[in-house]
């Protein structure tokens, strides 16, 4: 019982916190984050500069490929950014016009073969897109998707070439090991 009485009557010692304001703590945390972010950003900028230098050297050594890469990426970017600016002339070229199917065009020939065109069909959607109707979103998304494929195709081709080249190198290394002639135990001659 005496322990209970002494625990109630004796003052407890509370741990004290230094007199630091919340503003000081937040400022210190933000400063530490900023320093860390600057370090990350500067390493990212160094990496980008190194890769840019490598890309510039490659473009100098391979001007034809560099132009093809630029054209593909530029065309893909235009297709993604302004899909109907790309689609409208193409639709017009095959005969889908703002006022309907153009007489004597490929679209007119297709329509005569189809007969009665129903609203959700591909033909109706393309005509609607050319006229600015319900087909615009469908055609725009399709052109944007194709634009993404076109823009990324140089990178995809590059990756496949590296994989193919690595596979050939691996086969060459495998071929150099373990092929023995049945006659004398010497490595087999490669043809």
């Amino acid at each position: 019982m005496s322990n209970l009485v002494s625990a109630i009557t004796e003052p407890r010692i509370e741990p004290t916190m230094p007199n630091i304001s919340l503003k000081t703590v937040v400022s210190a945390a933000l400063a530490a984050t900023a320093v860390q972010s600057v370090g990350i950003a500067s390493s990212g900028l160094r990496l980008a500069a190194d890769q840019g230098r490598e890309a510039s050297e490659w473009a100098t050594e391979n001007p034809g490929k560099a132009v093809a890469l630029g054209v593909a990426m530029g065309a893909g970017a235009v297709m993604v950014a302004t899909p109907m600016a790309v689609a409208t002339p193409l639709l017009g070229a095959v005969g889908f016009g703002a006022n309907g199917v153009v007489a004597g065009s490929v679209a007119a020939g297709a329509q005569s073969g189809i007969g009665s065109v129903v609203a959700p069909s591909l033909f109706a959607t393309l005509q609607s897109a050319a006229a600015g109707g319900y087909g615009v979103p469908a055609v725009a998304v399709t052109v944007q998707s194709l634009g993404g494929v076109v823009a990324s195709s140089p990178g995809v081709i590059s990756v496949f070439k590296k994989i193919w080249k690595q596979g050939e190198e691996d086969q060459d290394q495998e071929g150099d090991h373990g092929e023995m002639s049945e006659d004398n135990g010497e490595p087999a001659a490669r043809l």
Side-chain angles (χ1 to χ4, degrees):
M1 177 95 160
S2 67
N3 287 341
L4 179 61
V5 172
S6 64
I8 295 172
T9 58
E10 292 180 20
R12 287 192 274 162
I13 300 173
E14 297 280 332
T16 59
M17 295 285 294
N19 192 9
I20 300 174
S21 70
L22 180 60
K23 181 179 176 182
T24 304
V25 172
V26 170
S27 296
L30 288 174
T33 303
V35 167
Q36 187 179 24
S37 296
V38 167
I40 292 170
S42 64
S43 65
L45 288 173
R46 277 193 298 275
L47 178 64
D50 291 344
Q51 289 179 344
R53 200 171 10 268
E54 289 176 16
S56 177
E57 290 170 3
W58 177 84
T60 303
E61 294 169 3
N62 304 290
K65 289 180 181 179
V67 168
L69 176 73
V71 168
M73 292 177 71
V78 168
M79 291 171 74
V80 170
T82 58
M84 289 312 291
V86 173
T88 302
L90 295 175
L91 290 169
V94 294
F96 294 107
N99 295 324
V101 176
V102 177
S105 66
V106 173
Q111 186 177 20
S112 69
I114 294 171
S116 180
V117 176
V118 293
S121 69
L122 176 62
F123 187 92
T125 302
L126 293 175
Q127 178 53 51
S128 172
Y134 72 87
V136 170
V139 170
V141 166
T142 302
V143 171
Q144 286 177 322
S145 299
L146 291 172
V149 170
V150 169
S152 64
S153 62
V156 171
I157 291 169
S158 174
V159 167
F160 281 122
K161 281 184 176 180
K162 285 181 182 179
I163 291 170
W164 184 267
K165 184 177 180 182
Q166 183 62 42
E168 288 177 346
E169 289 173 0
D170 290 347
Q171 284 180 345
D172 288 345
Q173 289 175 357
E174 288 174 6
D176 291 341
H177 303 291
E179 290 183 18
M180 296 290 184
S181 169
E182 293 179 17
D183 299 338
N184 56 11
E186 295 292 321
R190 296 192 64 164
L191 299 176

